Amino acid sequence: MRDTATGLAIGTAGGLAFWLLGIPAPWLAGSMMAAIIAVFSRVRVGMPDWLRTMAFIFLGIQTGTAVSWDTVDRAIHWPISIAFLCLTVVAVTWACMAYYIRRHGWDVPTALFASLPGALSLTLLLASSTTADMRRVTIAQCIRLFFLVAALPTVITWLRPPEDPLTMTLSQIGGLWDIVLLVAVSTAAGYALEWLKVPAGLMLGPMLASAALELSGVISGTAPMSILIPANVVLGVMIGARFSHFTFAEFRAALVEGFSGFLIALVIAMAGAGVAAYFSGLPFALTLLAFSPGGLDAMTIMAFSLNLDPAYVGAHQMVRYMALALLMPAATAYVLKRMGAYGGSGA
């Protein structure tokens, strides 16, 4: 409890500082940076599973309540950009893998799992059953997410035109009983999908349930910021706490490799997002956030912070996550077996 309270206090202070400085996505980026500084200052921070669960449920609620019938009308353009997203995921994985092998001499399993964009927990689980260097894989994945959260909001703010047609202007839910109903139904849906072993069920369930309540007219408006800000802080501290397994020397040494991989992934994501924006008629800033190779939770919560359409971003990040979760085990096993690299412990 002390580590949790410390983590939340430090994350809140970092988010508040970034908010006062006017930095984009302040509560997520600020809490992450503050938690990383704390970790390397030998301050113990923690985040229990129940608090992570609440953050995922609240994030799903936020995404679902942002869905409107106008969103449904715009969804006719989504299949085009989702198709380009799938191609972009393959391109990012291949390019980063080739970079790590040819430039740094990594073995195939380590390079492959360090390059997969998203689904971190599943990536690490699969990597542990191979000869992959788990520390390199973990550091590469965490540093890419670190740079995305730290730099992407500023990039998108700079790229976005002053008059963005998809900037959110939704009102918040006002009634207490509406909020209670929303949280209760969404929580039940989240646990139901989690019990059914649906990928990202704790977030997908609340997303679907809250969207259904919104579209049916049972509730009206988005969940209040009192839900979103704590979810930002929890997620930022979670990202920062992952670095507690590394020394500062390891972190510093991995920055160059991690930053290079981040740049490669970002350039390819920008190219894919640009093509998708052209063919679908959507703003480039929006497609870039949806195509960025970060986590489902971080990218969706960033959409709220940047006042972009969270339903679009969440749908694309969910497709990427579920595709990786469903296809990655068979695909990585096939690739590694062809290269004679499957098997071993990867300790």
Side-chain angles (χ1 to χ4, degrees):
M1 291 297 295
R2 181 178 60 187
D3 294 348
T4 301
T6 301
L8 291 175
I10 290 173
T12 302
L16 180 61
F18 272 44
W19 178 73
L20 291 174
L21 291 172
I23 296 175
W27 297 102
L28 177 61
S31 59
M32 180 194 70
M33 294 296 294
I36 290 176
I37 293 172
V39 163
F40 289 127
S41 301
R42 300 183 183 276
V43 176
R44 293 181 57 182
V45 299
M47 199 59 60
D49 290 339
W50 66 268
L51 204 51
R52 294 191 188 103
T53 298
M54 288 181 61
F56 290 141
I57 289 174
F58 287 164
L59 181 54
I61 290 173
Q62 280 285 354
T63 306
T65 53
V67 175
S68 65
W69 285 111
D70 183 49
T71 304
V72 176
D73 292 337
R74 292 197 307 265
I76 190 173
H77 300 292
W78 293 6
I80 299 173
S81 58
I82 286 176
F84 284 113
L85 170 67
C86 295
L87 295 175
T88 302
V89 168
V90 175
V92 166
T93 303
W94 178 85
C96 290
M97 183 178 173
Y99 166 76
Y100 288 130
I101 292 174
R102 297 175 183 175
R103 180 67 177 83
H104 296 286
W106 289 12
D107 59 90
V108 173
T110 302
L112 173 60
F113 288 107
S115 304
L116 289 167
L120 177 60
S121 298
L122 181 58
T123 298
L124 297 181
L125 178 63
L126 292 174
S128 66
S129 65
T130 72
T131 57
D133 185 331
M134 291 301 296
R135 294 188 74 78
R136 278 181 170 173
V137 171
T138 306
I139 290 177
Q141 290 281 359
C142 290
I143 285 183
R144 181 177 62 212
L145 183 58
F146 162 77
F147 280 118
L148 279 171
V149 172
L152 192 60
T154 301
V155 172
I156 289 178
T157 301
W158 178 67
L159 290 173
R160 187 168 57 184
E163 297 297 330
D164 192 331
L166 292 184
T167 296
M168 293 189 304
T169 57
L170 298 175
S171 60
Q172 295 183 1
I173 297 173
L176 175 61
W177 288 112
D178 286 346
I179 296 176
V180 171
L181 173 65
L182 174 65
V183 172
V185 173
S186 299
T187 301
Y191 276 107
L193 292 193
E194 181 76 1
W195 181 75
L196 292 172
K197 307 297 183 184
V198 175
L202 280 174
M203 186 172 169
L204 179 59
M207 189 185 303
L208 295 175
S210 56
L213 291 173
E214 180 73 29
L215 293 175
S216 64
V218 175
I219 61 170
S220 179
T222 61
M225 290 299 293
S226 57
I227 288 179
L228 181 59
I229 290 177
N232 271 262
V233 172
V234 169
L235 181 57
V237 174
M238 283 171 54
I239 296 172
R242 290 189 179 128
F243 290 91
S244 61
H245 302 294
F246 316 127
T247 65
F248 183 72
E250 289 175 324
F251 174 76
R252 184 176 55 191
L255 279 178
V256 174
E257 296 173 349
F259 183 68
S260 300
F262 158 74
L263 284 180
I264 292 171
L266 183 61
V267 168
I268 296 174
M270 290 179 72
V275 175
Y278 176 78
F279 283 101
S280 63
L282 295 170
F284 175 60
L286 179 64
T287 58
L288 176 58
L289 183 56
F291 277 50
S292 296
L296 164 67
D297 42 13
M299 297 301 102
T300 307
I301 212 168
M302 203 177 290
F304 284 99
S305 301
L306 297 174
N307 290 324
L308 290 170
D309 185 354
Y312 175 86
V313 174
H316 283 65
Q317 294 290 342
M318 183 66 71
V319 167
R320 188 216 326 258
Y321 182 93
M322 296 189 72
L324 288 171
L326 296 174
L327 301 177
M328 190 164 54
T332 54
Y334 174 76
V335 171
L336 295 178
K337 282 180 180 178
R338 279 185 62 97
M339 296 182 176
Y342 199 74
S345 66

